[in-house]
């Protein structure tokens, strides 16, 4: 975030420098440029850089994902204070699944344990372990068993998780259940 702040200031100075050149050229031409031209160009530079970063953030994050991690859900947003987002909605959040390291349960071959990564602009990445049941199909947050638990993993999952329905056309279901079968 610090580098983005520095780059925003650099964009402002770059555009202000362009306005300074225009001001000097207008003096050579015998005209006088308005005093607000330099601050206007600086503001345009900052806004343009920030808008550019917001639209390119998703692509930059996806290009950094390691092999085996794929995007399963994208959230596009439009905001009233970003009127340009009505023309082209922005992607400010997405979910990626570590399908390359998804592990099947020994007790039940229909149940997979997979890590989901929640990405959001200007926030840290969150890792959420998920249990996917390909038979039902459903998903649930994974709760670690206690150290001295005598339950099998399958019994532990049945007792400690709140299952949520998972559609068969959901990219998470497709990437875990159909690609692994």
């Amino acid at each position: 975030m610090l580098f983005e702040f520095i780059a925003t200031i650099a964009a402002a100075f770059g555009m202000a420098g362009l306005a300074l050149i225009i001001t000097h050229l207008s003096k050579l031409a015998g005209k006088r440029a308005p005093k607000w031209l330099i601050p206007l160009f600086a503001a345009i530079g900052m806004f343009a850089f920030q808008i550019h970063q917001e639209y390119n953030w998703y692509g930059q994050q996806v290009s950094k994902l390691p092999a085996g991690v794929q995007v399963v859900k994208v959230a596009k947003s439009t905001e009233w204070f970003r009127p340009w987002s009505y023309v082209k909605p922005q992607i400010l959040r997405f979910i990626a699944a570590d399908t390359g390291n998804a592990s099947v349960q020994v007790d039940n071959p229909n149940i997979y344990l997979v890590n989901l990564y929640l990405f959001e602009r200007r926030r840290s990445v969150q890792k959420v372990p998920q249990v996917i049941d390909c038979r039902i199909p459903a998903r649930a947050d994974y709760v670690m068993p206690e150290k001295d638990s005598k339950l099998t993993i399958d019994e532990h999952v049945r007792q400690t998780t709140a299952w949520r329905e998972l559609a068969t056309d959901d990219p998470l279901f497709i990437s875990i259940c159909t690609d692994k079968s």
Side-chain angles (χ1 to χ4, degrees), residues 110-123:
N110 291 319
I111 294 181
Y112 287 86
L113 180 63
V114 64
N115 287 323
L116 295 183
Y117 297 98
L118 311 176
F119 289 82
E120 189 170 353
R121 176 107 168 105
R122 293 192 174 99
R123 296 214 178 182

Side-chain angles (χ1 to χ4, degrees), residues 72 94-98 112-119 124-132 139-144 164 172:
V72 292
F94 70 95
I95 300 173
D98 190 359
Y112 287 86
L113 180 63
V114 64
N115 287 323
L116 295 183
Y117 297 98
L118 311 176
F119 289 82
S124 298
V125 179
Q126 292 180 341
K127 178 180 164 184
V128 179
Q130 291 282 296
V131 178
I132 309 292
R139 70 176 181 83
D141 293 337
Y142 179 68
V143 179
M144 292 290 287
R164 286 178 231 121
L172 180 61

Side-chain angles (χ1 to χ4, degrees), residues 61-138:
Q61 294 300 315
V62 170
S63 69
K64 293 177 189 175
L65 293 176
V69 177
Q70 65 185 43
V71 176
V72 292
K73 184 160 178 127
V74 174
K76 294 184 178 185
S77 70
T78 56
E79 305 289 341
W80 66 268
F81 53 87
R82 292 181 180 125
W84 53 87
S85 68
Y86 287 102
V87 176
K88 184 179 179 196
Q90 296 173 301
I91 299 173
L92 299 177
R93 291 184 309 272
F94 70 95
I95 300 173
D98 190 359
T99 58
N101 293 319
S103 59
V104 66
Q105 292 298 325
V106 178
D107 299 343
N108 187 345
N110 291 319
I111 294 181
Y112 287 86
L113 180 63
V114 64
N115 287 323
L116 295 183
Y117 297 98
L118 311 176
F119 289 82
E120 189 170 353
R121 176 107 168 105
R122 293 192 174 99
R123 296 214 178 182
S124 298
V125 179
Q126 292 180 341
K127 178 180 164 184
V128 179
Q130 291 282 296
V131 178
I132 309 292
D133 190 337
C134 295
R135 187 177 36 88
I136 296 176

Side-chain angles (χ1 to χ4, degrees), residues 111 129-131 139-144 153-164:
I111 294 181
Q130 291 282 296
V131 178
R139 70 176 181 83
D141 293 337
Y142 179 68
V143 179
M144 292 290 287
I153 294 175
D154 195 32
E155 291 169 341
H156 171 74
V157 167
R158 263 191 257 120
Q159 291 178 12
T160 61
T161 56
W163 291 98
R164 286 178 231 121

